């Protein structure tokens, strides 16, 4: 069925109604030359496609053809005096008008449907592009976070090498003071070895920072090529959140690179100090004061770092507990999801807390051991050494607090795990 069939029915009805009244052959010739078969078929065809311009043209063609046809038919009928079929002509005109009216509605509905389909397709495409953009940004963030972990490991190795260089320098001074030239030279060589290790780690950290910046730039460029319209996402780039996290890490790595370069420069300076010490040209007090400053700095850095770690692990333990509480009250499906999430956090807390506690003990032992290695001249009562040693002690106390906080987090997840087991 369609408008072509509607026109055919109207024409047949007219022919049937006027057949007994025998209008002239000339009039019927005009009647049969309507041209409406083609325009109604074109209209039906356009309605089956998704071309708004073609639809509008088909409707306009029908209106023009139907109007012109009715005018021509009425003139012909009037010229031949076939008033007897006036009622049938009126009915035919009404049929043509009805077809036009319904065709207009159908065309408008089809165009509206096409617009809705286009908007839905656009929204679907925007959603898919948004997901793709987020996937790119998330991947970049994960990769850069992995590089941060690598850099953190390298920083620990660098700090250890720097501490070794500082210790070896003090050993040079002690050996010189004891008149043991051979041991002094051996310790000076140890300074050089440690300084080289610091430089190597600094270069690794710098390379990691460069790699992170490159990954970030590539990710941003890939999303930029997608030409996302922020209006489709509530005025915000869907990938921005992940990129913001990645950018924060890139900036942190850049700072770590600068700090590592500074450490390498200081290590190179220690090598020169060791050479001067072998010649007896090094200021003993100034050297130990420098070592004391470095000790205080290492202690402060360790305290700040593990304080952040302890807070993060504690937060994960809290989230595990929250999910366990949700699971207690939830239905089966939501309960399973909460148990799964809580279990994830339990695993994370257990692994991270154990590792951090191990590292805290190592850092505390290094700080305490270095302090004990200082000679009597490095006194808590000394106006220069005293404040630095006090700072180191405060940081040691901070490490103890972080260690205790991690133990507390472990105790909390043990209780959460016990509660989850009761839920089956």
């Amino acid at each position: 069925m369609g408008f072509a069939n509607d026109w055919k029915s109207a024409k047949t009805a007219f022919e049937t109604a006027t057949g007994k009244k025998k209008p002239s052959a000339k009039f019927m010739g005009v009647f049969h030359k309507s041209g409406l078969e083609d325009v109604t078929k074109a209209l039906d065809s356009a309605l089956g496609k998704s071309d708004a311009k073609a639809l509008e043209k088909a409707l306009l063609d029908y209106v023009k053809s139907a109007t012109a046809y009715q005018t021509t038919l009425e003139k012909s009928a009037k010229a031949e005096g076939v008033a007897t079929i006036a009622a049938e002509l009126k009915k035919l005109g009404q049929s043509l008008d009805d077809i036009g009216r319904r065709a207009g509605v159908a065309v408008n509905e089809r165009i509206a449907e096409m617009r809705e389909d286009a908007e839905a397709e656009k929204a679907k495409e925007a959603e898919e592009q948004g997901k793709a953009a987020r996937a790119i940004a998330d991947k970049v963030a994960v990769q850069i976070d992995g590089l941060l972990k690598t850099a953190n490991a390298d920083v620990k190795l660098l700090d250890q090498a720097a501490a070794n260089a500082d210790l070896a320098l003090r050993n040079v001074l002690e050996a010189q003071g004891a008149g043991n030239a051979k041991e002094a030279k051996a310790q000076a060589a140890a300074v050089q070895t440690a300084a080289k290790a610091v430089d190597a780690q600094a270069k690794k950290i710098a390379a990691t920072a460069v790699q992170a910046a490159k990954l970030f730039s590539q990710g941003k460029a890939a999303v930029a090529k997608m030409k996302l319209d922020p209006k489709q996402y509530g005025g915000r780039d869907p990938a921005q959140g992940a990129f913001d996290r990645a950018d924060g890490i890139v900036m942190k790595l850049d700072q770590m690179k600068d700090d590592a370069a500074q450490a390498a420069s200081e290590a190179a300076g220690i090598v020169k100090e060791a050479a001067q010490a072998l010649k007896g040209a090094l200021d003993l007090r100034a050297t130990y004061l420098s070592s004391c400053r470095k000790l205080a700095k290492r202690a402060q850095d360790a305290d700040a770092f593990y304080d952040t770690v302890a807070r993060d692990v504690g937060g994960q333990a809290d989230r595990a507990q929250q999910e366990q509480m949700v699971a207690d009250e939830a239905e089966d499906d939501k309960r399973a999801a909460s148990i799964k999430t809580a279990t994830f956090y339990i695993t994370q807390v257990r692994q991270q807390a154990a590792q951090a506690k191990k590292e805290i003990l190592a850092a505390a032992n290094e700080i305490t051991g270095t302090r004990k290695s200082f000679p009597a001249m490095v006194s808590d009562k000394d106006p220069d050494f005293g404040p630095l040693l006090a700072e180191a002690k405060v940081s040691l106390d901070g490490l103890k607090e972080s260690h205790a906080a991690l133990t507390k987090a472990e105790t909390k997840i043990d209780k959460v795990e016990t509660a989850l087991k009761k839920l089956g």
Side-chain angles (χ1 to χ4, degrees), residues 330-340:
E331 298 297 330
D332 290 344
D333 289 345
K334 192 169 183 180
R335 174 181 292 181
S338 293
I339 290 174
K340 182 177 180 180

Side-chain angles (χ1 to χ4, degrees), residues 158 161-166 169 188 190-200 202 259-274 294:
L158 181 147
N164 291 341
D166 196 54
L169 175 60
V191 169
Q192 290 183 329
T193 299
K196 287 180 181 178
V198 171
D199 186 62
D259 291 344
Q262 178 63 31
S265 176
E266 291 175 358
I270 292 176
V271 172
K272 293 179 180 178
E273 288 180 306
K294 292 173 185 176

Side-chain angles (χ1 to χ4, degrees), residues 11 14-15 17-19 21-34 69-90 92:
K11 186 172 70 168
F14 180 83
E15 289 174 325
T18 59
K21 300 176 182 179
K22 300 184 183 300
S24 68
K26 182 178 180 181
F27 173 81
M28 292 308 293
V30 173
F31 171 75
H32 286 299
K33 292 180 180 179
S34 67
Y69 176 59
Q70 289 186 73
T71 300
T72 300
L73 206 59
E74 288 171 358
K75 285 181 180 180
S76 177
K78 186 176 181 181
E80 294 197 21
V82 285
T84 55
I85 62 171
E88 281 70 28
L89 278 174
K90 183 177 181 181
L92 181 64

Side-chain angles (χ1 to χ4, degrees), residues 28-105:
M28 292 308 293
V30 173
F31 171 75
H32 286 299
K33 292 180 180 179
S34 67
L36 291 175
E37 289 86 353
D38 291 338
V39 293
T40 51
K41 286 180 180 178
L43 190 56
D44 288 335
S45 176
L47 285 168
K49 298 177 182 178
S50 299
D51 188 335
K53 290 184 178 180
L55 277 166
E56 291 171 349
K57 181 179 183 303
L59 178 60
L60 183 60
D61 288 347
Y62 172 80
V63 173
K64 287 181 179 178
S65 296
T67 301
Y69 176 59
Q70 289 186 73
T71 300
T72 300
L73 206 59
E74 288 171 358
K75 285 181 180 180
S76 177
K78 186 176 181 181
E80 294 197 21
V82 285
T84 55
I85 62 171
E88 281 70 28
L89 278 174
K90 183 177 181 181
K91 289 180 182 179
L92 181 64
Q94 289 174 339
S95 294
L96 289 172
D97 289 343
D98 182 63
I99 290 174
R101 180 186 61 77
R102 289 187 294 108
V105 172

Side-chain angles (χ1 to χ4, degrees), residues 246-298:
D247 191 31
I249 297 174
V250 168
M251 289 190 290
K252 184 173 183 178
L253 284 167
D254 196 53
Q255 182 60 53
M256 290 168 70
K257 178 191 71 174
D258 291 343
D259 291 344
Q262 178 63 31
S265 176
E266 291 175 358
I270 292 176
V271 172
K272 293 179 180 178
E273 288 180 306
Q276 290 178 327
L278 290 176
K279 297 176 182 178
L282 194 64
D283 185 329
L284 192 62
R285 182 178 176 83
T287 298
Y288 277 110
L289 190 58
S290 175
S291 292
C292 208
R293 290 194 186 98
K294 292 173 185 176
L295 174 65
K297 174 83 165 50
R298 287 201 305 277

Side-chain angles (χ1 to χ4, degrees), residues 81-162:
V82 285
T84 55
I85 62 171
E88 281 70 28
L89 278 174
K90 183 177 181 181
K91 289 180 182 179
L92 181 64
Q94 289 174 339
S95 294
L96 289 172
D97 289 343
D98 182 63
I99 290 174
R101 180 186 61 77
R102 289 187 294 108
V105 172
V107 166
N108 288 334
E109 287 179 346
R110 179 63 184 134
I111 290 176
E113 181 184 339
M114 287 164 52
R115 285 174 180 165
E116 289 177 1
D117 289 345
E119 289 175 1
E121 184 62 30
K122 186 177 181 181
K124 182 179 178 182
E125 182 180 349
E127 183 181 358
E128 291 176 351
Q129 283 190 318
K131 287 181 180 178
R134 283 191 293 271
I136 291 172
D138 287 339
K139 182 178 180 181
V140 168
V142 169
Q143 289 176 320
I144 291 178
D145 187 58
L147 291 176
L148 176 61
K149 289 182 173 64
T150 299
N152 279 332
D154 286 331
V155 166
K156 289 175 184 176
L157 293 174
L158 181 147
D159 288 344
Q160 184 58 57

